[in-house]
Amino acid sequence: MEERRPLIAGNWKMHGLHREGVALAAAVAEKAASHHGHLHLDLLVCPPATLLREISETLAESVIAVGGQDCHALESGAHTGDVSAAMLKDAGCSHVIVGHSERRADHGENSDQVRAKATAAHACGLTVVICIGETREQRDRGEAMDIVGSQLAGSLPDGANAENTVIAYEPVWAIGTGLVATVADVAEVHAGVRAGLAKALSDSDAMRILYGGSVKPGNAAELMELKDVDGALVGGASLKAEDFWAIAETCL
Ligand code: PGA
């Protein structure tokens, strides 16, 4: 089997006004350019919707891809405040995150809706990063594997393959809290996700599974070296070019 190429993705969430967002993207691009020719990983930044077009232009000459943080399942229509996959594509995106736990919690999104969003994104030629993960209560009740398994099965659209889909396992209680799942727990869940993918897909071995939840320069190396961890979805630490790059360097 060919080795899976790591993906380090930055989820900026609702951070970044114009000037600082462009400066952050440019700073990451400069780091990537200095390694030109021997970058054995993929890089993605997901800025807020207001900055997508400008940052796509800032990164046009760079290897760094740009993604949205969510999309609507429909192409257009009376959906105030929403952004469609076609709009993301039009703004220069190649990727979109769907099913982030903050969307599932703040907007009540369930896996059926996440699957519909992923289907819409695929129809526009976008690669989706599908997020799944259990809450602290679910983990304490011993339900982590079941929750993650059912979110995976429910969110994965027909036609998903290793080219157009990436999975991100993000335990909800580890996001933005400084708490990280133990290496053993991450290894166990990622192996479970890999097994779940094998039931659903023919090229499951090639699909990337990212870990997310308080990934920092100090803990990235031990997580990234796990067999079924193929990169990271980074929130807080992606807002500093130095930190984001230090995490990427653990995969170089
Ligand atoms: P965090 O966020 O790195 O700040 O924990 C990760 C995410 O929500 O994608």
Side-chain angles (χ1 to χ4, degrees), residues 164-181:
N164 65 18
T165 304
V166 175
I167 306 300
Y169 167 57
E170 301 200 301
V172 176
W173 49 272
I175 294 176
T177 57
L179 300 171
V180 193

Side-chain angles (χ1 to χ4, degrees), residues 11 13 100 102 170 174-177 212-216 233-237:
N11 172 12
K13 309 192 180 186
H100 190 281
E102 286 151 17
E170 301 200 301
I175 294 176
T177 57
S214 297
V215 177
K216 305 275 183 260
L233 182 55
V234 185

